[in-house]
Amino acid sequence: MKDLNIDYYKLLFALSTALDFTGKGLMKHHIRVALIAQQIARKIGLNENETSEVVCASLLHDIGTINFTEKARLVDFEVQNTYDHCMRGERLVNSSPLLKPLSVVILCHHDRWDGKNKTGLAGESIPLASRIIHLADRVDVLIDSGRYILQQRDEIIKKITSLAGVFFDPQLVLALVDLARRESFWLDLTGGNYERILLSRIKPGRKNVSMEELLSVGEVFARVIDGKSRFTHVHSRLVSLVAGEMAELAGFSRDHCRAMRVAGLLHDLGKLAVPESILEKPGRLTPEEYNIIKCHTYYTYRILEMVEGFEEINLWASYHHECLNGRGYPFGIDGKKLSAESRIMAVSDIFSALVEDRPYRLGLSRHKVEQILLEKVKAGDLDAKWVNLLLENYNQLHELKEACSMDINKTRC
């Protein structure tokens, strides 16, 4: 598993879907912004490569938002203090060689045309892709999902044109006005077939992506996932390191171990759907709250399912709460259908959670961790083979927690 031949756009579609979870559900904001931005880009004559940059940056433009509260603020049309999330987004994508070309575009995607920006840029000095995304983003924010779309277009365009030369590039506004005359422009934003429509308009993005590149993207999203709670600030990276190390101890190939690390980094991707109030609750979860937590592996599965070439990585990542006895979640799969990699991931996840601090307790002692893991073996939840491998190498694996904490302190955004 040296390189994976995947559709780069579908990878970004999947990751942007994870970013679109809010307190009101799945909003599909990023993909709609990409749809609008792509049409503006082509309208003004950008070539395929330039349009591709606009689309890719659109799909990740709000990656710097931390929680549901901040996402809710961005829905306000004239939102203030946008620089922090733009700067966090720029730092995040800048750490990945695959995503780095998008960093400046993401940094400037809320810059106003009139220059009242912390970046110090104004007018045409603002990257063109950023100007396009800013306009597309604010159009999408103005759409009221509770009203028929064609009843809104005139007032949306009136609002946008009133701010040409202040918030927005006047030439881009003229392009938008021309596009907006077509009913299809608006109906595409409400039909729900966003990915299919966008893929039909852009050059196919299939490419060979190295495991190192995938690891770098996984690291970016692990930081987004773990950033939702101060108690999980290293969890995805720790699971990734423990799973990769256990795979190495088991004699897996180097590339196989790195693929396990990618799965570990993304295993909690669905937690972006879980409210921070539950993740940081200092006491025992209610049955209702626990049911919400249980959705996260399902969402991880459905999101990663979108990426062709991720079939194995998806199963390793998404089955980490399945049990040998068939009593796990979300699919209730029994041991006959759980691969060695999924079993390793389950052990790695529980071990990491036990040694980390949580809102209701500090990280547990070795004796307590061993006791809990062995009880789970006895109950039929975990595979004894992989629990024993972990316990035989406990000190080596526990040291990864300290290394992971030191690393995140160096790279905290």
Side-chain angles (χ1 to χ4, degrees):
M1 196 177 285
K2 293 182 180 180
D3 293 351
L4 291 181
N5 184 256
I6 64 174
D7 190 315
Y8 181 51
Y9 291 122
K10 288 186 178 179
L11 174 62
L12 296 188
F13 287 162
L15 297 176
S16 73
T17 297
L19 295 176
D20 270 333
F21 283 108
T22 72
K24 295 182 178 180
L26 188 60
M27 303 304 287
K28 288 290 185 178
H29 170 67
H30 286 81
I31 185 71
R32 287 199 306 269
V33 170
L35 266 175
I36 298 167
Q38 183 272 337
Q39 293 190 79
I40 295 172
R42 295 318 303 266
K43 182 69 178 177
I44 64 173
L46 297 192
N47 63 33
E48 289 286 353
N49 289 335
E50 292 166 332
T51 301
S52 175
E53 178 186 54
V54 171
V55 169
C56 292
S58 297
L59 290 168
L60 300 180
H61 69 276
D62 279 339
I63 192 173
T65 54
I66 295 176
N67 52 44
F68 286 175
T69 300
E70 187 166 8
K71 289 181 180 182
R73 282 199 315 105
L74 293 177
V75 176
D76 294 335
F77 179 77
E78 296 186 18
V79 60
Q80 303 295 314
N81 303 319
T82 58
Y83 184 68
D84 285 351
H85 88 268
C86 294
M87 182 175 61
R88 284 194 299 268
E90 184 268 342
R91 289 180 178 177
L92 281 166
V93 299
N94 196 52
S95 66
S96 165
L98 196 63
L99 303 178
K100 188 173 183 176
L102 309 177
S103 61
V104 175
V105 178
I106 288 173
L107 175 66
C108 301
H109 82 270
H110 274 290
D111 275 9
R112 296 165 49 129
W113 176 261
D114 65 9
K116 296 179 180 178
N117 307 307
K118 288 189 177 181
T119 62
L121 303 179
E124 294 186 357
S125 66
I126 302 167
L128 177 56
S130 301
R131 286 179 262 153
I132 293 172
I133 294 170
H134 185 203
L135 177 58
D137 175 73
R138 294 298 90 184
V139 170
D140 187 61
V141 163
L142 285 173
I143 295 173
D144 181 351
S145 61
R147 297 173 57 201
Y148 182 54
I149 189 67
L150 296 183
Q151 303 294 356
Q152 304 177 55
R153 61 175 174 175
D154 289 346
E155 58 196 74
I156 291 173
I157 291 301
K158 182 178 179 181
K159 179 70 173 179
I160 293 293
T161 54
S162 72
L163 294 168
V166 181
F167 278 20
F168 309 118
D169 180 336
Q171 295 304 310
L172 296 182
V173 172
L174 289 176
L176 173 69
V177 169
D178 195 34
L179 288 167
R181 293 190 179 99
R182 301 198 306 262
E183 286 79 6
S184 61
F185 174 85
W186 300 99
L187 295 172
D188 283 345
L189 301 176
T190 60
N193 296 316
Y194 309 122
E195 289 88 353
R196 183 182 61 78
I197 294 170
L198 186 54
L199 284 171
S200 72
R201 293 175 176 167
I202 54 181
K203 185 179 178 181
R206 202 160 190 91
K207 63 169 72 176
N208 286 326
V209 178
S210 71
M211 291 308 302
E212 287 301 325
E213 289 175 318
L214 282 178
L215 276 168
S216 76
V217 174
E219 290 278 357
V220 168
F221 275 82
R223 289 169 67 185
V224 174
I225 298 159
D226 294 347
K228 276 181 71 77
S229 168
R230 65 189 184 279
F231 295 101
T232 61
H233 70 290
V234 299
H235 178 69
S236 296
R237 275 149 293 180
L238 181 55
V239 171
S240 170
L241 290 174
V242 172
E245 191 81 5
M246 286 187 64
E248 185 174 346
L249 290 168
F252 291 10
S253 71
R254 180 169 180 264
D255 288 318
H256 203 148
C257 293
R258 291 195 294 178
M260 281 288 285
R261 284 203 56 209
V262 172
L265 289 167
L266 298 175
H267 81 285
D268 272 348
L269 193 58
K271 275 193 177 171
L272 292 176
V274 179
E276 295 80 31
S277 58
I278 293 178
L279 295 176
E280 299 212 314
K281 185 176 178 179
R284 191 176 187 87
L285 296 180
T286 66
E288 293 79 10
E289 291 166 336
Y290 186 53
N291 281 334
I292 293 173
I293 282 283
K294 289 168 81 172
C295 78
H296 80 276
T297 46
Y298 175 82
Y299 287 133
T300 296
Y301 180 85
R302 292 303 178 200
I303 291 167
L304 295 182
E305 186 182 40
M306 298 168 66
V307 188
E308 295 173 13
F310 259 43
E311 289 78 12
E312 287 187 318
I313 287 174
N314 185 13
L315 300 186
W316 306 345
S318 304
Y319 287 178
H320 66 276
H321 282 296
E322 301 291 347
C323 299
L324 300 186
N325 56 24
R327 296 176 182 172
Y329 64 85
F331 300 110
I333 294 169
D334 63 28
K336 295 178 182 178
K337 296 182 180 179
L338 292 175
S339 66
E341 294 88 349
S342 295
R343 298 175 187 215
I344 290 172
M345 197 66 65
V347 173
S348 302
D349 177 65
I350 293 175
F351 167 77
S352 300
L354 293 175
V355 300
E356 294 166 354
D357 295 343
R358 285 292 181 263
Y360 47 88
R361 60 150 174 84
L362 297 176
L364 301 179
S365 67
R366 175 170 182 168
H367 173 73
K368 189 63 177 175
V369 171
E370 290 181 352
Q371 181 184 17
I372 292 172
L373 289 174
L374 292 173
E375 285 175 354
K376 288 186 174 294
V377 169
K378 187 176 180 180
D381 295 340
L382 298 177
D383 189 326
K385 175 181 178 180
W386 303 114
V387 169
N388 289 335
L389 179 65
L390 185 146
L391 296 181
E392 289 165 6
N393 298 275
Y394 188 96
N395 289 338
Q396 177 182 339
L397 295 170
H398 192 273
E399 286 175 0
L400 297 174
K401 176 189 172 186
E402 186 64 28
C404 200
S405 296
M406 291 175 63
D407 179 65
I408 191 59
N409 286 332
K410 290 178 184 178
T411 59
R412 189 182 300 275
C413 57

